Short mmCIF file of all heavy atoms in Angstrom, two decimals:
data_model
loop_
_atom_site.label_atom_id
_atom_site.label_comp_id
_atom_site.label_asym_id
_atom_site.label_seq_id
_atom_site.Cartn_x
_atom_site.Cartn_y
_atom_site.Cartn_z
N PHE B 282 11.30 -203.46 -67.59
CA PHE B 282 12.30 -204.25 -66.85
C PHE B 282 11.78 -205.66 -66.58
O PHE B 282 12.47 -206.66 -66.83
CB PHE B 282 12.69 -203.55 -65.54
CG PHE B 282 13.43 -204.46 -64.59
CD1 PHE B 282 14.66 -205.00 -64.95
CD2 PHE B 282 12.90 -204.78 -63.35
CE1 PHE B 282 15.34 -205.85 -64.09
CE2 PHE B 282 13.57 -205.63 -62.49
CZ PHE B 282 14.79 -206.17 -62.86
N PHE B 283 10.55 -205.78 -66.10
CA PHE B 283 10.00 -207.11 -65.81
C PHE B 283 9.86 -207.93 -67.09
O PHE B 283 10.09 -209.13 -67.10
CB PHE B 283 8.64 -206.98 -65.11
CG PHE B 283 8.73 -206.36 -63.75
CD1 PHE B 283 7.77 -205.46 -63.31
CD2 PHE B 283 9.78 -206.67 -62.90
CE1 PHE B 283 7.86 -204.87 -62.05
CE2 PHE B 283 9.89 -206.09 -61.63
CZ PHE B 283 8.92 -205.19 -61.21
N MET B 284 9.50 -207.26 -68.17
CA MET B 284 9.31 -207.96 -69.44
C MET B 284 10.64 -208.50 -69.97
O MET B 284 10.71 -209.59 -70.51
CB MET B 284 8.69 -207.01 -70.45
CG MET B 284 8.55 -207.58 -71.83
SD MET B 284 8.02 -206.30 -72.98
CE MET B 284 9.58 -205.76 -73.61
N THR B 285 11.72 -207.70 -69.84
CA THR B 285 13.00 -208.13 -70.42
C THR B 285 13.79 -209.04 -69.49
O THR B 285 14.09 -210.17 -69.84
CB THR B 285 13.87 -206.91 -70.80
OG1 THR B 285 13.97 -206.05 -69.68
CG2 THR B 285 13.26 -206.14 -71.95
N ASP B 286 14.10 -208.55 -68.29
CA ASP B 286 14.89 -209.40 -67.40
C ASP B 286 14.04 -210.56 -66.88
O ASP B 286 14.59 -211.54 -66.39
CB ASP B 286 15.47 -208.59 -66.23
CG ASP B 286 16.91 -209.00 -65.90
OD1 ASP B 286 17.48 -209.81 -66.66
OD2 ASP B 286 17.46 -208.52 -64.90
N GLY B 287 12.72 -210.45 -67.02
CA GLY B 287 11.84 -211.51 -66.55
C GLY B 287 12.18 -212.87 -67.15
O GLY B 287 12.21 -213.87 -66.43
N PHE B 288 12.47 -212.91 -68.44
CA PHE B 288 12.77 -214.24 -68.99
C PHE B 288 14.12 -214.77 -68.53
O PHE B 288 14.32 -215.97 -68.42
CB PHE B 288 12.56 -214.32 -70.51
CG PHE B 288 13.52 -213.55 -71.36
CD1 PHE B 288 14.74 -214.08 -71.71
CD2 PHE B 288 13.16 -212.31 -71.87
CE1 PHE B 288 15.62 -213.39 -72.53
CE2 PHE B 288 14.03 -211.61 -72.68
CZ PHE B 288 15.26 -212.14 -73.00
N ASP B 289 15.04 -213.84 -68.21
CA ASP B 289 16.32 -214.30 -67.64
C ASP B 289 16.10 -214.91 -66.26
O ASP B 289 16.67 -215.95 -65.93
CB ASP B 289 17.30 -213.13 -67.51
CG ASP B 289 17.51 -212.39 -68.82
OD1 ASP B 289 17.48 -213.05 -69.87
OD2 ASP B 289 17.69 -211.16 -68.79
N PHE B 290 15.26 -214.25 -65.46
CA PHE B 290 14.94 -214.80 -64.13
C PHE B 290 14.29 -216.17 -64.29
O PHE B 290 14.57 -217.11 -63.55
CB PHE B 290 13.98 -213.89 -63.36
CG PHE B 290 14.58 -212.57 -62.97
CD1 PHE B 290 13.81 -211.41 -62.95
CD2 PHE B 290 15.91 -212.48 -62.59
CE1 PHE B 290 14.35 -210.19 -62.58
CE2 PHE B 290 16.47 -211.25 -62.21
CZ PHE B 290 15.68 -210.11 -62.22
N GLY B 291 13.38 -216.28 -65.26
CA GLY B 291 12.69 -217.55 -65.51
C GLY B 291 13.67 -218.65 -65.89
O GLY B 291 13.65 -219.74 -65.31
N ILE B 292 14.56 -218.33 -66.84
CA ILE B 292 15.53 -219.34 -67.27
C ILE B 292 16.43 -219.74 -66.11
O ILE B 292 16.67 -220.93 -65.88
CB ILE B 292 16.39 -218.79 -68.44
CG1 ILE B 292 15.51 -218.60 -69.68
CG2 ILE B 292 17.53 -219.73 -68.76
CD1 ILE B 292 16.17 -217.83 -70.80
N GLY B 293 16.88 -218.75 -65.34
CA GLY B 293 17.76 -219.05 -64.20
C GLY B 293 17.09 -219.92 -63.16
O GLY B 293 17.73 -220.74 -62.50
N THR B 294 15.77 -219.74 -62.98
CA THR B 294 15.05 -220.54 -61.99
C THR B 294 14.77 -221.95 -62.53
O THR B 294 14.82 -222.93 -61.78
CB THR B 294 13.74 -219.83 -61.60
OG1 THR B 294 14.03 -218.48 -61.27
CG2 THR B 294 13.08 -220.50 -60.42
N LEU B 295 14.49 -222.05 -63.82
CA LEU B 295 14.23 -223.37 -64.42
C LEU B 295 15.52 -224.17 -64.59
O LEU B 295 15.50 -225.40 -64.74
CB LEU B 295 13.59 -223.19 -65.80
CG LEU B 295 12.16 -222.66 -65.82
CD1 LEU B 295 11.78 -222.27 -67.24
CD2 LEU B 295 11.20 -223.72 -65.29
N TYR B 296 16.62 -223.45 -64.59
CA TYR B 296 17.94 -223.97 -64.92
C TYR B 296 18.29 -225.33 -64.30
O TYR B 296 18.62 -226.27 -65.02
CB TYR B 296 18.93 -222.87 -64.55
CG TYR B 296 20.37 -223.11 -64.77
CD1 TYR B 296 20.89 -223.14 -66.05
CD2 TYR B 296 21.22 -223.27 -63.69
CE1 TYR B 296 22.23 -223.34 -66.24
CE2 TYR B 296 22.56 -223.46 -63.88
CZ TYR B 296 23.07 -223.50 -65.15
OH TYR B 296 24.41 -223.69 -65.34
N PRO B 297 18.17 -225.48 -62.95
CA PRO B 297 18.55 -226.79 -62.41
C PRO B 297 17.57 -227.91 -62.80
O PRO B 297 17.92 -229.08 -62.73
CB PRO B 297 18.54 -226.59 -60.89
CG PRO B 297 18.01 -225.25 -60.64
CD PRO B 297 17.76 -224.54 -61.92
N PHE B 298 16.34 -227.54 -63.19
CA PHE B 298 15.33 -228.56 -63.45
C PHE B 298 15.31 -229.00 -64.91
O PHE B 298 15.02 -230.14 -65.22
CB PHE B 298 13.95 -228.05 -63.04
CG PHE B 298 13.94 -227.53 -61.62
CD1 PHE B 298 13.93 -226.17 -61.36
CD2 PHE B 298 14.01 -228.41 -60.55
CE1 PHE B 298 13.95 -225.69 -60.05
CE2 PHE B 298 14.04 -227.95 -59.25
CZ PHE B 298 14.01 -226.58 -58.99
#
Side-chain angles (χ1 to χ4, degrees):
Chain B
F282 165 62
F283 294 140
M284 175 188 94
T285 52
D286 220 6
F288 69 83
D289 306 325
F290 293 145
I292 293 169
T294 310
L295 290 168
Y296 179 71
F298 307 104

